[in-house]
Amino acid sequence: MAVIFLLFLLVSSVTACDRCVHQSKVAYFSSASALQSGACGYGNLAIGFNGRRLAAAVPSLYKDGAGCGACYQMRCKDPKICSKEGTTVIVTDLNTNNQTDFVISSRAFTAMANPGKAKDVLKLGIADVEYKRVPCDYKGKNLAIRVEESSQKPNYLAISFLYQGGQTEIVGVDVAQVGSSSWNFMIRNHGAIWDTSRVPSGALQFRFVVTAGYDGKWNWAKSVLPADWKNGVIYDTGLQITDIAQEGCSPCDDGNWKLH
């Protein structure tokens, strides 16, 4: 909780708002496969995310994996070829190139174009953009948990979270047998993957902390994995995450982006 308190202090020291507008440059991958098998650990499931409008984010946005699954709206700054609305991308990978905040899929890159201008946008190679964090919308899908293939029942459990709505990050995860109050904490292995070698027996429940407002918020999924849970299977938590985490920045987005 000390980290969350520190976050509160940092946000309090500047203007707090839902959408901070950032200026940067964005490049693209000619093949989306590099993003589908990215550092977040989503694997081939990423193909079905957000119409393949995927992104690799710099470490400050990747946040050691906490930023996996975050959604950003971005648009390039040339109004002759780029639309006012831009496009929305979802983070599935880590960008280690410090020349751009994001490297995005070519599909996302051309989605920023005005009608008939996709080739002109591609010719830019690297585009000047502005972007902001926005809530992820999975059209009513509940948060889900996938049991990773690396799990080895009964001694090791690795999971990832899918369809995390809102504008949040999962920063802590506990697991317990259904009906028990004896919780074991899980550790972020990498990206969106959490694991533990202290696996409770029987059906499993989870509780986790997501960033919300200026602080963290506990969510409790009371019955998720059956006693006979299987590797590679996706299980519904029955929860929908809609919280919005505040950011500290100046200026805030006023709802009308101004192209420069």
Side-chain angles (χ1 to χ4, degrees):
M1 289 302 176
V3 173
I4 295 173
F5 178 69
L6 177 60
L7 175 64
F8 171 77
L9 291 179
L10 292 174
V11 170
S12 301
S13 65
V14 292
T15 303
C17 57
D18 291 343
R19 314 282 186 271
C20 299
V21 179
H22 306 275
Q23 313 295 324
S24 185
K25 295 179 181 292
V26 170
Y28 71 91
F29 283 115
S30 57
S31 172
S33 60
L35 294 168
Q36 292 166 11
S37 58
C40 287
Y42 295 125
N44 290 333
L45 282 178
I47 296 173
F49 292 168
N50 196 42
R52 297 190 185 184
R53 296 188 300 276
L54 312 177
V58 289
S60 60
L61 300 175
Y62 179 77
K63 300 178 182 178
D64 293 325
C68 288
C71 295
Y72 292 87
Q73 187 176 359
M74 64 177 61
R75 64 182 184 179
C76 56
K77 293 185 180 181
D78 186 345
K80 294 179 182 178
I81 60 175
C82 300
S83 70
K84 182 178 179 180
E85 297 77 15
T87 191
T88 300
V89 299
I90 182 171
V91 175
T92 60
D93 200 359
L94 171 65
N95 172 27
T96 57
N97 181 348
N98 60 11
Q99 295 181 336
T100 65
D101 280 6
F102 295 96
V103 179
I104 63 179
S105 61
S106 57
R107 180 171 295 192
F109 204 80
T110 56
M112 296 189 293
N114 280 322
K117 297 295 184 179
K119 290 184 179 180
D120 295 309
V121 171
L122 280 179
K123 288 179 181 177
L124 294 175
I126 297 178
D128 290 312
V129 299
E130 52 188 4
Y131 67 89
K132 57 185 177 179
R133 178 88 183 264
V134 294
C136 295
D137 182 7
Y138 289 104
K139 311 300 182 185
K141 278 189 176 182
N142 292 332
L143 180 74
I145 288 178
R146 178 179 67 174
V147 177
E148 296 298 307
E149 294 290 356
S150 58
S151 296
Q152 298 178 7
K153 194 174 184 179
N155 299 316
Y156 177 72
L157 172 64
I159 63 169
S160 59
F161 290 92
L162 306 174
Y163 316 125
Q164 183 181 337
Q167 187 173 304
T168 60
E169 294 158 8
I170 294 176
V171 294
V173 181
D174 292 339
V175 60
Q177 186 182 78
V178 171
S180 171
S181 59
S182 179
W183 293 92
N184 295 332
F185 66 87
M186 302 187 75
I187 296 173
R188 186 186 298 278
N189 182 293
H190 70 279
I193 313 298
W194 294 78
D195 64 8
T196 181
S197 57
R198 301 172 61 197
V199 186
S201 60
L204 301 181
Q205 59 179 330
F206 295 84
R207 65 182 183 185
F208 47 93
V209 181
V210 300
T211 52
Y214 304 104
D215 207 338
K217 177 181 177 181
W218 282 100
N219 287 262
W220 184 12
K222 297 183 179 181
S223 182
V224 182
L225 301 191
D228 62 344
W229 53 264
K230 301 288 194 304
N231 291 14
V233 177
I234 298 172
Y235 297 93
D236 192 335
T237 68
L239 301 177
Q240 288 190 17
I241 306 299
T242 58
D243 299 283
I244 302 294
Q246 296 287 306
E247 298 179 83
C249 62
S250 181
C252 294
D253 173 38
D254 61 4
N256 295 298
W257 287 8
K258 295 179 181 179
L259 289 176
H260 305 288

